[in-house]
Amino acid sequence: MMLGKKWLSATMSLALALSVLAGCAPERQQATTGGEKSEKLVVWENADDGKQLGHTKKLAAEFEKKTGIKVEVVPVAILKQQEKLTLDGPAGKGPDLVTWPHDQLGAAVIKGLVQPIQPDASVTGQFDESALSALTVDGKLYGLPKVTESIALIYNKKLMPNPPATFEELKSFAKSYTKPAEKKYGVMFEINNLYFNHFLVDAKGGYVFKHENGKYDPSDIGLNNAGAVEAGKEVESWFKEGLLPNGLKGDTINGLFKEGKVAAVINGPWAVLDYKQAGIDVGVAPIPKVNGKDARTFIGVKGWYLSAYSKAPKEALELMQFLTGKEALKSRFLETGEIPPHKELINDPVIADDPVVSGFAKQAAMGVPMPNIAEMNQVWEPINNAFNFIATGKQNPEQALNDAVKIIKEKIKTQQQ
């Protein structure tokens, strides 16, 4: 999520340029056609993580040994790759493969930086459908997934030996355990943030943008429909009943959990190491069902994409498939800890036998991707302001969500002009 937040501010500054750049897409080569075999491919890998960079370099060497095609792995900050490709691509200095979080993909498509791919069904069939959906824009697949990430229920085994089976039971536990005067809470999470409360909005019938036939409709916003208002009432109740404190912040949640004053939190895998170092014996489980429905959290997916400027799209696609194959993703998990959205690997002992990783993997498998269209940039601030107004009692859920959707529509209209 932190990555998504950083990207949000970066892409907002680029939004006004999208309509100009949309017409600058290069003439694409066909990824499925033949031609003289390329002797070299270039890959941009995340410069901010030495383990990820090292692993890709190792796989590049294996691919070169297997095919005779040299692969140069160049470190480029993952949130700077689109900006750099915009300049280097037209100059003939760009890579064949790039990587970034899926919520940047819509902007990249508008700018013409990546091109669709058509791998065999035996390739796409390896991955979770939600992960593939994250890399699909307007019904076209633009990449193959390598990592998936989701929040889940993280609990202190000493205070909550077994996680509840339903969200209703989780809330009942919170009511029985919480003692605000002692700063003791049964369950804490940023319920006033769409990223963390999406599973409630979804379970009660709300949605961000209507999604049908592989396409998002930014004109159809479901964040103030009857289901979303019910979710808003759920948010309101946690504060009215004193189950969560006013002024709720992520730092407060993490601090109290590490002090052993909170039995369970809803957070992502990035928080686990910090909790363990604080001496907490943590367990991880999928978020309990809500009204009998799976808790469909937002997931983030990182993938490899085929540059629109690649001069060797056929070989680049072959390399992409090699980097996202079962053995490649298994070794990536072992070396980087990143959870692969690969159906068979979820049940592999290296993941299934690790209760922490398995908990996040199970949650991610039932998650839904954050919308990957550029209009999503206009959602976060208004909707999170609305949930904060609900949490603090400044507005009732219906008023707050109606106002938020009105603002979102105005911002999208401005973006599209």
Side-chain angles (χ1 to χ4, degrees), residues 31-311:
T32 55
T33 58
E36 188 173 344
K37 190 174 182 179
S38 176
E39 296 181 352
K40 181 182 176 182
L41 295 169
V42 177
V43 175
W44 285 357
E45 174 58 293
N46 184 12
D48 302 324
D49 191 300
K51 290 182 179 178
Q52 296 172 19
L53 185 62
H55 181 262
T56 300
K57 286 183 175 180
K58 186 176 77 173
L59 287 184
E62 293 178 11
F63 183 80
E64 181 176 345
K65 185 178 180 180
K66 176 183 175 184
T67 64
I69 301 174
K70 181 176 177 59
V71 179
E72 181 183 4
V73 180
V74 180
V76 179
I78 198 166
L79 297 181
K80 295 291 186 180
Q81 291 198 11
Q82 285 200 26
E83 179 182 352
K84 184 172 175 59
L85 184 57
T86 301
L87 300 174
D88 288 5
K93 300 185 297 183
D96 296 282
L97 297 183
V98 289
T99 184
W100 48 64
H102 85 273
D103 54 359
Q104 295 192 30
L105 181 57
V109 171
I110 291 175
K111 290 185 283 187
L113 297 178
V114 292
Q115 58 180 299
I117 61 172
Q118 294 179 313
D120 189 83
S122 63
V123 174
T124 55
Q126 301 176 92
F127 303 104
D128 293 336
E129 290 185 8
S130 57
L132 288 176
S133 175
L135 306 188
T136 300
V137 176
D138 290 337
K140 296 178 180 178
L141 181 65
Y142 282 86
L144 293 177
K146 58 178 176 177
V147 181
T148 189
E149 194 172 81
S150 173
I151 57 173
L153 185 71
I154 305 172
Y155 56 98
N156 183 331
K157 292 181 179 177
K158 181 179 177 181
L159 305 179
M160 180 185 279
N162 297 298
T166 69
F167 188 77
E168 293 74 20
E169 291 175 11
L170 186 70
K171 190 173 183 180
S172 294
F173 173 86
K175 289 178 180 178
S176 65
Y177 188 89
T178 299
K179 295 180 180 178
E182 299 175 22
K183 293 186 177 181
K184 289 178 60 178
Y185 293 91
V187 184
M188 295 189 85
F189 66 108
E190 292 184 66
I191 197 172
N192 51 345
N193 183 321
L194 179 64
Y195 179 74
F196 290 92
N197 72 22
H198 174 267
F199 68 94
L200 290 172
V201 174
D202 175 80
K204 293 179 182 294
Y207 54 87
V208 181
F209 301 124
K210 196 72 174 180
H211 189 240
E212 288 183 334
N213 301 319
K215 296 182 180 181
Y216 289 101
D217 180 357
S219 69
D220 188 342
I221 300 173
L223 290 173
N224 63 336
N225 66 14
V229 171
E230 284 302 308
K233 291 178 180 177
E234 181 67 37
V235 171
E236 184 180 49
S237 72
W238 280 70
F239 291 94
K240 276 189 172 180
E241 296 175 31
L243 303 180
L244 290 171
N246 291 325
L248 183 67
K249 299 288 185 183
D251 289 346
T252 304
I253 295 170
N254 291 331
L256 291 176
F257 188 74
K258 288 191 292 184
E259 290 177 26
K261 293 187 174 181
V262 180
V265 297
I266 294 176
N267 210 339
W270 52 82
V272 171
L273 179 60
D274 199 27
Y275 296 160
K276 286 184 174 179
Q277 289 177 339
I280 304 297
D281 184 11
V282 301
V284 177
I287 296 171
K289 291 178 181 290
V290 183
N291 294 337
K293 300 176 182 176
D294 286 339
R296 303 202 310 164
T297 50
F298 269 149
I299 62 168
V301 180
K302 294 176 190 170
W304 290 111
Y305 310 100
L306 178 59
S307 167
Y309 302 94
S310 174
K311 297 176 182 176

